[in-house]
Amino acid sequence: MNREFEARFTAILLTLLTAAAVLFAGFNYKIEHQFAVPDDGAWWMEKNGRLVADRLEPNGPAERAGIRRGDNVVSVNGHAVDTSASVTRQIYYSGVWSKATYSLIRGAVPLDVVVVLVPSERSMNDWLRLIALIYLGIGLYVLLRRWTAVGSTHFYIFCLVSFVFYALHYTGKFNAFDWIVLWANEVAWLLQPALFLHFTLTFPERREIVSKHRWSIPLLYLPGAVLLGIQLLVFEYLKASNSLLFDLNRVHWAYLTIFFFSAAGILFKNYRQATTPILRQQLKWITRGTILAITPFTLFYVLPYLLGVMPSPLMKVSVLSLGLLPLTFGYAIFRYRLMDVDLIFKRGMAYTLAAAAIVGVYFAGVAAVAELVHTRVPSSGPYGLILAVVVTALLFDPVRKWIQEKLDQFFFRTGYDYRRTLIEFGRELSSETDLDKMLSSLVDRVARTLLVDRIAIFLGNSDSSRFELSKSFGIAHVTGLDLSFLAKPRIEDAAGHIFFENTHQLPRENAAAQEAIARLDLNYYIPCHARQKTIAFLGLGKTMQGDFLSSEDVELLQALAGYIGIAIQNGRLYASLEQKVSEYERLKDFNENIVESINVGVMAVDLQDRIESWNSQMEVMYAQPRWQVVGRSLSEVFPAAFVEEFYRVRQNPGIHNLYKFRLATPTGESRIVNVAMAPLVTRKFNVVGRLVIMDDITERIELEVQLTQADKLSSIGLLAAGVAHEVNTPLAVISSYTQMLAKQLQSDPQKAGVLEKITKQTFRASEIVNNLLNFSRTTGTELTEVSLNKVIADTLALLEHQLKVAHIKVQTELCENLPLIQGNAGRLQQVFLNLFLNAKDAMAGGGVLNVSTLNGEFVSVRVSDTGSGIAQEHIHRIYDPFFTTKTSPADGQNRGTGLGLSVTYGIIQEHAGNIRVESRPGEGTTFTLDFPLISTRKAIHV
C-alpha cells in the first residue's frame, strides 16, 4: 500500500512540477520577447574603486561611439555611476534605441560620448529552449511508455531539471517573477550535473561503490548545495559586482564540467568491463553520446570562459551539443538495449553540426545576400533582408544531408555503399523470376551488407499456417524443427519484427519453439508481406562482432522485407505460371496429336472465315501444306461449290452435314467427302469460329462399288451355274446331230455349209457356257507359291504369234528378285490372257503393250496399252458380266462376250488382290494388279 501511495504521490508531484515548469517557461518566453533589454556593447568592471570598460563588443554601440578599453566611466546621463549595477540601471532608464551620454576619463582627459543603445542579443536563448524541449519531450516519452523501467523516474527528473535550466532566463526586469526565474535557473544549473552523475552510477545497473557506501549518493549533491549557499551569501550580504559574478560563474562551469566528465569516465570504465554483448552495446553508445555532448561544450565554451574569454557566437553554438544527452539516454531507458542509439547519435550529431554551420554562416549569408540585393536593387528595402533569411533557411537541409552522408561514411565505412544500394537491390529483386536464385542472391547480399553471422529465409505455405527453412547462411543443417512459433500472432507484430534478446532463455515460448529458436540462434525474425499476408520470414543473427543490429538496419530490413515479399510472390506466381504453361503446352500437344492422328481432315476457321487450323490429314487429302493455307480466306483455298455450301449453312445454328460431297482438289483430283460443320465455342459458350471435319470416303466408295460388283457377280454366278447345266445338254445333242447330218450330206455343198455354220455356233455357245461355268465355279482352288514373272512370260509366249500378226510390240519391265505370291498359276494365266487379248483388240492398227512388275508394299503388275481407251461413263461397268464394248468388232476380231473382265475380277478376289484401271479415250488403258506378300497373306481357300 505504501509503495502504491509513493508511486501516486511521485506521479502527482512530477505532474505539478512539470506543469509549473512549462507555464513558467512559456510566460518567461513571452515576457522576454515583449521586453527588450538595452545594451551598450561594453562590459564594465570594478577595478581599484573605478568602473572601467574591460571588454567591448566588436562593432558594438560603445565601440562605434568611441569608447575604448580601459576608459573610466564617471556618469551616465548626468547620473554618477560607480558600479556595473548602477550603469545597468541607467541604461534601463534610457531604454532601447535611445541616446545615452557617457562621461569618461581617458587617462587624465575627461570626455563625453553619446551611445545609441541597442536591444541585447538573446537569440541563443531560443536554441537553448529547443534543447529544453528535447529534454522534456524525451523525458515524458520515456516516463509514459516505460514507467516501471529501471531509472525512468530518475531520468525524467534529470530531464525536467535540464528543461528548467535551458528554458528559464531572467529578463532583467527584476520583478518577483524574474527573481523566481533567476533562482530556478540557478538551482537547476547546480542540480543537473549531480543528477547526471547519480544517474550514471545507477544505470543500467547500480555500481558496487553505491551499494557499499550509501552516503556516496548524498555526497554527490553536496558541492552543488555549497555553491548555492555561496550564491545566496553573495547576493544577500556582499556587494555583488561583475567581477565577483564572473568568478562565481566560472566556478559553476568548472563544477558542471568536472561532474559531466566524471560521469563519462564512469560510463567508459563500465563499457570496458562489460561482459555481455548487449551491455557493451548499450554502454558503447551511451559513452560515445556523453563524450560527444560534453567535449565540444567543454573545449569551445567552458575552457575559454575559465580563462577569462567572454562568450562569443562560436562558444554559444557549442552549447547545442548538450542536446545529444537526452537522445542517447532516452532510448537506453526505453528499450534497455541500445539498438537505436547509433542512429540517434548519428542523426543528432548531424543536426547539431548542421545547426552550428548554419548559425556560423547565418549572419554572413544574410549580410551578403542583403548587400547584394541592396546594391543591385536599391528599392528593395526590407525585402532584401527577407530574401537573405529565406536563402539561409533553404541552405539548412542540404547542409544537414551532406553532414549526415559524411557521418554514414565515417561510422559504417565499408558497409556504407552496401547499405545505400540494399534498397535498390530490393527493388530489383522482382526482376529475378527464379525463386531459388533470387533467395540465394538475397542471402548473400544481406550477409555481406550487414556483416551478420547467420541468416535464414523461411517460406510459408499457401495459407501461411506453416513455415519451413528455404535458404540459410551460417546455420548448420537442421531438420525436424517446429517453426509454428512463426505462424502464431504476437504482440511484437505491431513493431514490425520479432526480437529474441537471448535465444536460450525464452520462458514465454513452448518447449518445441524454445528448441527451434535455440538451434537456429537467430535474434531477429522480420515478416515479409504480400497482399496483406505473411508469406515469409527473414531471420538474422548478430553481427560478426557479436553486436545487435542498429534500428537503422532493422528499419532498412523492414523496408526490404516488403520488396522480398513481392519478389517471393512474383517468383511463386511465375513458377505456377510456368507449370500451367507447361501443362497447357502438354495438353495442347496432346490435343494436337489427337487432331493430327485421326484419319479425318480437321479445319478451324474464325468468324471472318480465315483458316486458323489445318491438320495433316487435310494436307494429304487436299494436297495443300499447312503453311500455305493458314491465315487465308476460305474462298481463296476451296472451290466455289464448297464455299457456297459453307456460306449456306454457317448462318444457321447447330451442326450441319454434307454427305458424299464431290470436292475438287488443286491437283485436279476429285475426292468424295462427308463434311460436318459445327460452331467453335469457348468455355463460356461464345462462338469464335467454325469447325469443319472432312472424312475422305473416296476409297470407301470404290470399295462399296467393288462390293456391289462382287454381289452382282455372285448372283450371276449362281444363275450361270444353273443355266450352264441346262444349256450344255441340248447344245451337246445339237452338236452331235449336226455333225451326223454333216457326214450324211457331204455330197451336198450347200447343205454342208449350213450344217458347218450350225456346228460353229454350237461350239461358240458351248464356249460361252463353259466360261459361265468357270465364272460361277465355287469349288476350292489349291494355292501354291507362284512367280508372277514366269506366269507373264508363259502367257506372252502363247500369244506371241497373235500379237505379231496384229503388229503389237511387247515391252516388258519385269522386276528382278520379285517375291513369290500365294496363287494358282492356271487361274492367273487366265487373268493375264484376258488382259493381253483385250489390249490386242483395243489396238486394232497395232501399238505397244507394256507389261511391268513392281516390288513394294504389294507385288504389283501393270499392263498398259496404247489403244483406244475406255470412255469415262463405261469404266464403272467394265467388270459387269456380259458388258462389252466390242459390239462391232473389226476384221479378225471376235465379238466380245462381256465375261472376260468379270472372270478376271473374280480370280483377283480369290487371290486377295486388287485391280485398278486408269484410262482416257484415245490415250490407252492401264490395269494395275496388286497381290499381297506371302508374309502378310493369310491362307485363302475359295
Side-chain angles (χ1 to χ4, degrees):
M1 189 67 180
N2 292 336
R3 183 172 299 178
E4 182 180 356
F5 174 77
E6 181 182 351
R8 290 184 178 180
F9 177 78
T10 302
I12 294 173
L13 180 61
L14 290 178
T15 302
L16 294 175
L17 290 176
T18 303
V22 171
L23 289 175
F24 270 68
F27 196 56
N28 177 240
Y29 174 80
K30 179 180 179 182
I31 293 177
E32 184 177 284
H33 283 74
Q34 288 178 347
F35 177 71
V37 176
D39 182 29
D40 59 1
W43 194 33
W44 302 100
M45 295 283 289
E46 296 85 352
K47 293 183 179 180
N48 301 321
R50 297 186 307 156
L51 189 61
V52 299
D54 187 68
R55 293 177 181 82
L56 298 176
E57 181 181 337
N59 200 30
E63 189 175 73
R64 289 197 299 269
I67 300 177
R68 299 177 184 176
R69 289 187 61 183
D71 287 350
N72 178 22
V73 60
V74 177
S75 65
V76 176
N77 291 331
H79 297 280
V81 292
D82 55 355
T83 63
S84 58
S86 59
V87 174
T88 302
R89 189 177 298 108
Q90 294 302 321
I91 291 175
Y92 271 66
Y93 290 154
S94 299
V96 177
W97 303 115
S98 62
K99 296 181 180 180
T101 303
Y102 282 63
S103 297
L104 306 175
I105 297 177
R106 183 175 297 164
V109 179
L111 70 150
D112 292 336
V113 296
V114 177
V115 179
V116 179
L117 303 177
V118 298
S120 178
E121 174 58 42
R122 293 185 293 185
S123 59
M124 182 54 63
N125 290 350
D126 293 335
W127 290 101
L128 294 177
R129 288 188 175 94
L130 177 62
I131 295 176
L133 291 175
I134 294 174
Y135 270 102
L136 184 62
I138 292 179
L140 285 172
Y141 182 73
V142 170
L143 185 67
L144 295 177
R145 291 294 300 271
R146 294 295 299 272
W147 171 266
T148 59
V150 177
S152 61
T153 304
H154 189 161
F155 179 75
Y156 179 71
I157 295 174
F158 168 70
C159 290
L160 183 60
V161 169
S162 300
F163 172 78
V164 173
F165 175 50
Y166 292 116
L168 297 182
H169 305 279
Y170 66 90
T171 61
K173 298 184 73 172
F174 293 106
N175 53 18
F177 176 78
D178 213 24
W179 280 106
I180 294 175
V181 168
L182 174 64
W183 286 110
N185 178 270
E186 187 70 22
V187 172
W189 188 1
L190 297 173
L191 193 57
Q192 185 197 33
L195 284 171
F196 182 63
L197 184 58
H198 180 186
F199 185 76
T200 58
L201 289 172
T202 56
F203 177 84
E205 297 175 352
R206 185 176 290 270
R207 302 293 175 262
E208 183 178 358
I209 187 173
V210 177
S211 301
K212 288 183 177 180
H213 307 286
R214 295 183 178 275
W215 48 265
S216 59
I217 295 300
L219 189 63
L220 295 177
Y221 296 91
L222 182 60
V226 171
L227 288 176
L228 181 60
I230 294 174
Q231 191 84 357
L232 288 171
L233 289 175
V234 168
F235 274 84
E236 186 69 24
Y237 299 106
L238 298 179
K239 184 180 180 181
S241 64
N242 267 354
S243 177
L244 181 58
L245 290 177
F246 179 65
D247 292 337
L248 283 175
N249 286 339
R250 287 195 291 180
V251 173
H252 281 45
W253 286 121
Y255 155 75
L256 183 144
T257 304
I258 292 172
F259 270 55
F260 269 95
F261 268 102
S262 299
I266 293 172
L267 291 174
F268 183 75
K269 179 182 177 181
N270 293 333
Y271 165 69
R272 297 293 299 272
Q273 294 177 351
T275 56
T276 62
I278 188 170
L279 186 59
R280 286 183 60 85
Q281 181 81 346
Q282 294 172 348
L283 294 175
K284 175 179 70 175
W285 292 109
I286 288 179
T287 304
R288 292 182 180 181
T290 303
I291 293 175
L292 186 65
I294 63 176
T295 299
F297 172 69
T298 303
L299 292 178
F300 298 108
Y301 191 93
V302 177
L303 289 180
Y305 193 78
L306 293 177
L307 295 175
V309 178
M310 294 302 296
S312 63
L314 180 61
M315 293 173 61
K316 294 178 180 179
V317 168
S318 65
V319 177
L320 299 178
S321 64
L322 297 175
L324 293 175
L325 278 175
L327 296 176
T328 54
F329 276 85
Y331 197 83
I333 295 176
F334 175 59
R335 291 294 296 273
Y336 196 58
R337 42 185 183 269
L338 260 286
M339 293 179 298
D340 248 358
V341 169
D342 55 345
L343 176 64
I344 296 174
F345 167 76
K346 181 190 65 175
R347 290 182 178 173
M349 181 177 180
Y351 278 101
T352 301
L353 295 180
I358 292 298
V359 171
V361 301
Y362 179 79
F363 293 104
V366 170
V369 176
E371 182 63 25
L372 179 63
V373 173
H374 180 71
T375 304
R376 299 294 177 88
V377 188
S379 61
S380 61
Y383 295 105
L385 181 61
I386 295 175
L387 179 62
V389 174
V390 172
V391 171
T392 307
L394 292 176
L395 289 175
F396 177 81
D397 194 59
V399 171
R400 180 193 61 79
K401 290 181 178 179
W402 179 82
I403 294 173
Q404 182 172 331
E405 182 179 358
K406 296 304 178 182
L407 286 174
D408 282 340
Q409 295 177 354
F410 175 76
F411 285 110
F412 296 115
R413 294 181 177 89
T414 58
Y416 172 74
D417 292 333
Y418 283 141
R419 279 178 167 83
R420 188 176 59 182
T421 59
L422 191 57
I423 291 298
E424 297 176 4
F425 167 74
R427 296 190 183 101
E428 298 171 358
L429 277 178
S430 297
S431 61
E432 177 59 67
T433 55
D434 189 316
L435 184 60
D436 186 72
K437 290 182 179 179
M438 185 273 291
L439 294 179
S440 299
S441 175
L442 173 66
V443 168
D444 177 68
R445 178 62 71 92
V446 174
R448 287 189 294 111
T449 300
L450 301 180
L451 300 177
V452 292
D453 58 354
R454 53 184 58 213
I455 182 175
I457 297 178
F458 305 90
L459 295 183
N461 58 0
S462 58
D463 58 354
S464 300
S465 61
R466 183 171 56 85
F467 290 85
E468 60 181 16
L469 179 63
S470 179
K471 285 289 178 181
S472 63
F473 165 76
I475 298 178
H477 183 67
V478 288
T479 56
L481 294 178
D482 182 5
L483 301 176
S484 59
F485 69 93
L486 293 174
K488 70 178 184 179
R490 294 174 170 272
I491 301 176
E492 296 93 334
D493 292 344
H497 67 278
I498 303 173
F499 175 76
F500 297 114
E501 180 179 329
N502 189 338
T503 57
H504 298 278
Q505 294 182 5
L506 302 165
R508 294 193 303 170
E509 306 294 336
N510 57 42
Q514 288 180 4
E515 180 186 0
I517 296 171
R519 290 176 63 184
L520 291 171
D521 197 20
L522 299 172
N523 301 92
Y524 302 87
Y525 292 87
I526 299 174
C528 304
H529 301 288
R531 297 183 178 179
Q532 298 180 347
K533 183 172 67 174
T534 302
I535 64 173
F537 274 91
L538 177 63
L540 301 99
K542 299 176 183 177
T543 64
M544 295 296 185
Q545 291 76 25
D547 294 334
F548 290 104
L549 299 177
S550 69
S551 68
E552 186 176 58
D553 292 335
V554 175
E555 289 174 1
L556 185 142
L557 289 170
Q558 288 175 347
L560 182 64
Y563 297 108
I564 296 174
I566 296 174
I568 293 175
Q569 185 80 354
N570 289 346
R572 284 179 168 176
L573 290 176
Y574 187 81
S576 175
L577 181 62
E578 280 189 328
Q579 182 180 358
K580 290 186 181 297
V581 168
S582 176
E583 293 176 357
Y584 171 77
E585 291 292 341
R586 187 165 58 251
L587 182 61
K588 180 174 177 289
D589 292 341
F590 182 73
N591 292 336
E592 288 181 351
N593 291 337
I594 293 176
V595 173
E596 294 294 327
S597 300
I598 59 178
N599 61 350
V600 296
V602 179
M603 172 182 65
V605 296
D606 61 15
L607 295 176
Q608 284 74 39
D609 299 331
R610 287 192 300 268
I611 299 174
E612 296 292 338
S613 177
W614 184 273
N615 75 339
S616 58
Q617 189 63 28
M618 285 293 297
E619 293 181 322
V620 174
M621 181 187 70
Y622 200 66
Q624 286 283 314
R626 183 183 287 109
W627 63 270
Q628 285 187 357
V629 298
V630 172
R632 296 175 61 188
S633 174
L634 205 65
S635 59
E636 297 177 7
V637 178
F638 287 94
F642 175 78
V643 176
E644 182 180 352
E645 289 293 331
F646 178 81
Y647 286 161
R648 182 177 63 82
V649 301
R650 70 187 290 267
Q651 303 299 333
N652 302 322
I655 300 174
H656 303 276
N657 296 283
L658 301 176
Y659 294 104
K660 294 184 179 180
F661 184 83
R662 190 170 294 275
L663 181 67
T665 66
T667 58
E669 292 184 305
S670 179
R671 312 296 294 182
I672 301 174
V673 294
N674 286 338
V675 183
M677 303 177 189
L680 186 63
V681 298
T682 63
R683 289 184 178 182
K684 297 182 178 180
F685 301 100
N686 296 324
V687 178
V688 294
R690 285 277 175 177
L691 189 66
V692 181
I693 300 175
M694 295 185 179
D695 186 8
D696 187 359
I697 60 173
T698 304
E699 286 77 13
R700 191 188 310 166
I701 294 295
E702 292 178 358
L703 291 175
E704 289 177 355
V705 170
Q706 293 178 9
L707 182 59
T708 303
Q709 183 72 23
D711 289 340
K712 289 180 182 179
L713 294 176
S714 177
S715 301
I716 295 174
L718 293 175
L719 177 62
V723 171
H725 288 290
E726 295 297 330
V727 173
N728 262 339
T729 300
L731 285 178
V733 173
I734 293 171
S735 178
S736 297
Y737 282 110
T738 302
Q739 291 178 17
M740 290 174 60
L741 286 175
K743 288 180 180 180
Q744 294 177 3
L745 298 175
Q746 288 181 355
S747 58
D748 188 351
Q750 184 177 1
K751 293 180 179 179
V754 172
L755 291 175
E756 184 180 358
K757 289 181 179 180
I758 293 173
T759 301
K760 262 185 189 179
Q761 294 303 320
T762 302
F763 283 137
R764 175 173 170 74
S766 178
E767 182 183 357
I768 292 173
V769 170
N770 287 334
N771 284 335
L772 285 174
L773 287 174
N774 288 334
F775 173 74
S776 62
R777 180 173 296 163
T778 57
T779 57
T781 300
E782 187 68 26
L783 300 180
T784 60
E785 293 184 357
V786 177
S787 171
L788 286 178
N789 285 344
K790 186 176 183 304
V791 173
I792 292 170
D794 292 343
T795 305
L796 288 174
L798 290 174
L799 297 175
E800 181 179 1
H801 178 71
Q802 295 185 40
L803 295 174
K804 186 175 181 181
V805 172
H807 304 288
I808 304 298
K809 182 181 179 181
V810 178
Q811 295 180 349
T812 59
E813 298 177 10
L814 303 181
C815 177
E816 297 182 1
N817 302 321
L818 188 70
L820 302 179
I821 67 168
Q822 289 279 352
N824 185 286
R827 304 282 283 170
L828 291 173
Q829 190 175 29
Q830 185 178 358
V831 169
F832 293 123
L833 188 64
N834 289 336
L835 293 176
F836 294 162
L837 288 175
N838 285 343
K840 178 183 79 67
D841 292 340
M843 295 182 289
V848 178
L849 175 64
N850 189 297
V851 182
S852 60
T853 57
L854 303 170
N855 180 18
E857 187 177 354
F858 300 94
V859 177
S860 302
V861 180
R862 183 173 295 169
V863 179
S864 302
D865 63 58
T866 57
S868 59
I870 304 172
Q872 292 296 316
E873 63 270 16
H874 295 156
I875 283 182
H876 67 284
R877 299 182 60 194
I878 61 175
Y879 301 115
D880 292 348
F882 306 110
F883 176 79
T884 180
T885 59
K886 302 175 186 178
T887 56
S888 300
D891 294 338
Q893 292 183 348
N894 295 321
R895 187 176 182 275
T897 63
L899 293 174
L901 287 178
S902 298
V903 173
T904 298
Y905 184 86
I907 294 172
I908 295 298
Q909 293 296 313
E910 289 178 2
H911 288 75
N914 183 34
I915 183 171
R916 305 189 306 276
V917 62
E918 297 177 11
S919 179
R920 291 179 182 273
E923 296 181 6
T925 302
T926 299
F927 282 92
T928 303
L929 287 69
D930 296 325
F931 298 94
L933 299 172
I934 293 178
S935 58
T936 60
R937 170 81 156 78
K938 296 183 178 179
I940 300 176
H941 298 280
V942 181

